[in-house]
Amino acid sequence: MSYISDDFLIPNKFGQKLYESYAKNMPIFDFHCHLDPKEIYENHKYANLTEIWLGGDHYKWRAMRINGVEERYITGDASDYEKFLAFVDTLQYAVANPLYQWAHLELKRYFNIDCLLTSETAPMVWEVANKALENFGSRDFIRKANVTHIGTTDDPTSDLRYHNLLKDDKSFGVKVFPCFRADLSFKPEAKNYLNWLSKLEGVTGLKIDNINTYMSALEQRIIYFSKHGSNLADHGFEEFTYSPCDSEKAQNIFAKCIRGEQLSREELICFKSFINCELAKLYTKYNWTMQMHVGALRNNNSVMYKRLGPDSGFDSMGDFACAVNLNRFMDELNSQDCLPKTIVYNLNSNNNDVMASLMGNFPKEGVPVRVITGAAWWFYDQKDGIVQQIKSMANLGLLGRFVGMVTDSRSFMSYTRHEYFRRVLCNWLGILVETKEIPNDEQLLAKMIKNVCYNNAKAYFCGEENECN
């Protein structure tokens, strides 16, 4: 019997019907990922399964390290086949981990490999997958998954060259748009901040020597991103802090920044608050949506950070309090009528209800879900995390307005996470029908499922005029 069967993750019959009839064939609007637009444009071909499956995947790297695998078989100089076998060995211990589910779902959907991945089947899986990859590039993964829109993650100084090339390439048919990842603009404590500031000067042609020219440069880049199809920003926070800060105080702190002086915690909080407020005002001006990723405790292993750098699998959940500061931040913007549409993702399940309750605090007439919680993120994009997130949204907000799943991934094989999410959603709704908690009304639920899987995201980002087509 196939592990990835028709009823995978959906043991109840009504949930199966909802998935097969309404969720399964919906397109994908993946508005937040970390795919490389250069790889998309060039339709990058992969040398083997390790390159596409293990390269850059810190989920798998973490599991392998927990299993005691030597680093040379993860990011080191071992052969690709040896790295693949090390992952296969780890997978046998991950049977209740979502990695186990994702791995088999990906093998099934992209390579039609239906067996369990074990040390015995590994040689066959390696051979079959590599044979398929000879004629299968990055665009083929996207097309096979029925993706219509992709939002990449791009530094404000990016020239967006490959977005430009993709826009002119009529052979592809998938809309690839940049997302303005503004983190460095409000993190002067970062080691490369001054180098980044110099690069911002270079791409804008402005001498950035005060807070006004700084914000002018950032606005110029927002306009540039808009011309390349963007209407979406992303801000990443470990601890979300907020303290009102006027332009005079921000200027004094910025002057210290560009002199390379160390800032106090109070000065950092003030500067971050000012920049985030000013950016939010610009997003409102240009009708953008702001994403806020809150709660990742990054680069915890200082030894491995020095060795491998960031995004290498040594991050974890934070437990910072955020409710007071988030509400104060949004209230300040709302009081000036400058709060943009906002999606907030949290990384600690203790904050699910906190985040979901934000939706009701700052409504705007004629704007559905001006503030909304995002999909279960990172450590929570698995069954329990997804159910917890949608339950909070259903209990405290409007689940029918949810903009749905994102891959948040660097892997072209990760589009199966949309299928995973849809199966969990349909199973959960099916259970509610069976327990008489919601109506057994197929038409009502069909509309909700189609909206959550695709239609809501398209309407949220493209508007009535389908501006991002």
Side-chain angles (χ1 to χ4, degrees):
M1 179 181 293
S2 172
Y3 171 44
I4 307 299
S5 56
D6 289 344
D7 61 355
F8 174 61
L9 297 177
I10 317 177
N12 73 84
K13 295 296 183 183
F14 195 75
Q16 291 172 24
K17 182 177 183 180
L18 293 176
Y19 175 75
E20 290 291 334
S21 299
Y22 307 111
K24 181 178 181 179
N25 295 318
M26 291 298 291
I28 290 173
F29 195 118
D30 192 39
F31 56 88
H32 177 69
C33 73
H34 298 275
L35 297 180
D36 185 349
K38 180 176 185 289
E39 289 191 20
I40 299 175
Y41 175 71
E42 294 177 346
N43 194 23
H44 181 77
K45 299 292 194 300
Y46 300 89
N48 53 52
L49 185 56
T50 293
E51 183 188 354
I52 178 68
W53 218 27
L54 303 181
D57 192 332
H58 53 82
Y59 286 90
K60 296 184 178 77
W61 293 355
R62 282 177 65 89
M64 293 166 75
R65 291 177 183 129
I66 293 169
N67 195 39
V69 174
E70 294 178 41
E71 192 64 30
R72 70 178 297 259
Y73 296 102
I74 303 172
T75 61
D77 60 1
S79 71
D80 284 350
Y81 188 57
E82 288 175 315
K83 291 177 179 179
F84 169 69
L85 292 179
F87 173 66
V88 173
D89 177 70
T90 296
L91 201 63
Q92 67 178 314
Y93 301 104
V95 171
N97 188 300
L99 270 177
Y100 192 87
Q101 299 168 319
W102 294 341
H104 287 90
L105 190 59
E106 289 165 351
L107 291 176
K108 171 77 170 181
R109 293 294 176 251
Y110 290 116
F111 305 118
N112 199 30
I113 296 173
D114 209 18
C115 64
L116 294 183
L117 180 55
T118 66
S119 57
E120 289 76 24
T121 62
M124 178 275 294
V125 170
W126 178 259
E127 181 179 350
V128 171
N130 288 346
K131 183 66 176 176
L133 286 170
E134 291 177 5
N135 301 300
F136 211 71
S138 58
R139 294 190 182 191
D140 298 294
F141 286 102
I142 294 168
R143 291 191 184 101
K144 191 171 180 66
N146 195 19
V147 181
T148 63
H149 297 74
I150 298 172
T152 62
T153 305
D154 307 273
D155 187 85
T157 63
S158 171
D159 64 7
L160 304 181
R161 175 190 175 196
Y162 289 97
H163 290 88
N164 229 8
L165 292 170
L166 283 164
K167 183 179 180 181
D168 294 336
D169 184 354
K170 306 304 181 185
S171 68
F172 186 35
V174 177
K175 171 72 174 180
V176 182
F177 57 92
C179 173
F180 190 81
R181 182 72 184 222
D183 290 19
L184 273 176
S185 69
F186 56 85
K187 293 184 178 179
E189 73 276 20
K191 291 181 179 179
N192 59 334
Y193 177 73
L194 292 179
N195 288 335
W196 177 84
L197 199 60
S198 178
K199 191 174 181 181
L200 182 63
E201 286 186 324
V203 297
T204 59
L206 297 175
K207 177 64 176 175
I208 303 175
D209 54 6
N210 61 66
I211 199 69
N212 292 326
T213 54
Y214 189 34
M215 293 313 306
S216 294
L218 290 171
E219 181 172 14
Q220 186 183 125
R221 298 310 293 169
I222 289 171
I223 294 170
Y224 183 81
F225 270 60
S226 293
K227 290 178 179 177
H228 286 77
S230 180
N231 62 358
L232 187 60
D234 189 22
H235 294 202
F237 306 93
E238 291 188 359
E239 177 187 13
F240 184 81
T241 55
Y242 177 73
S243 178
C245 184
D246 60 32
S247 58
E248 182 179 354
K249 189 182 294 185
Q251 168 56 33
N252 292 334
I253 298 170
F254 186 62
K256 291 183 68 174
C257 290
I258 58 181
R259 290 196 300 266
E261 297 179 22
Q262 187 169 353
L263 304 180
S264 68
R265 174 174 168 81
E266 290 72 22
E267 287 173 323
L268 281 171
I269 291 172
C270 186
F271 185 74
K272 291 174 190 290
S273 300
F274 179 84
I275 298 299
N276 276 290
C277 280
E278 294 303 304
L279 283 173
K281 293 173 185 178
L282 290 173
Y283 302 151
T284 301
K285 178 179 178 179
Y286 293 101
N287 196 28
W288 278 26
T289 294
M290 176 172 64
Q291 296 177 102
M292 302 174 69
H293 284 82
V294 181
L297 193 61
R298 298 180 184 274
N299 307 316
N300 298 288
N301 188 323
S302 58
V303 173
M304 295 305 288
Y305 177 73
K306 291 176 183 176
R307 180 175 169 184
L308 299 175
D311 303 320
S312 300
F314 298 97
D315 307 323
S316 59
M317 304 174 200
D319 58 356
F320 307 107
C322 60
V324 171
N325 286 320
L326 271 172
N327 277 284
R328 290 176 65 203
F329 171 68
M330 292 186 182
D331 185 58
E332 174 64 26
L333 293 168
N334 185 64
S335 67
Q336 300 179 48
D337 196 24
C338 290
L339 177 63
K341 291 195 299 185
T342 303
I343 304 172
V344 186
Y345 307 81
N346 69 279
L347 200 54
N348 190 319
S349 62
N350 293 329
N351 291 326
N352 278 345
D353 286 352
V354 170
M355 298 299 190
S357 67
L358 280 173
M359 289 188 287
N361 290 351
F362 305 104
K364 185 173 184 178
E365 292 183 15
V367 182
V369 285
R370 184 193 199 184
V371 177
I372 191 170
T373 51
W377 170 45
W378 200 341
F379 293 103
Y380 282 111
D381 56 357
Q382 31 75 7
K383 181 182 176 182
D384 291 343
I386 290 169
V387 170
Q388 290 173 30
Q389 188 269 332
I390 60 178
K391 283 176 69 174
S392 290
M393 180 170 284
N395 284 331
L396 301 174
L398 300 175
L399 179 60
R401 286 290 190 179
F402 182 33
V403 292
M405 187 62 174
V406 293
T407 59
D408 189 32
S409 174
R410 293 167 176 81
S411 171
F412 286 89
M413 291 178 66
S414 63
Y415 282 112
T416 52
R417 291 183 195 172
H418 284 263
E419 176 183 342
Y420 188 98
F421 165 82
R422 293 171 182 187
R423 287 179 174 274
V424 172
L425 173 67
C426 290
N427 183 64
W428 183 70
L429 291 172
I431 291 171
L432 294 186
V433 169
E434 291 181 349
T435 55
K436 311 297 183 183
E437 296 180 57
I438 61 175
N440 187 346
D441 187 319
E442 193 170 329
Q443 184 176 1
L444 174 69
L445 296 176
K447 180 179 179 180
M448 172 182 278
I449 289 166
K450 289 181 177 181
N451 285 346
V452 170
C453 290
Y454 181 78
N455 294 335
N456 284 348
K458 187 172 184 181
Y460 197 80
F461 296 107
C462 300
E464 296 296 328
E465 303 299 323
N466 287 324
E467 294 172 2
C468 58
N469 276 350

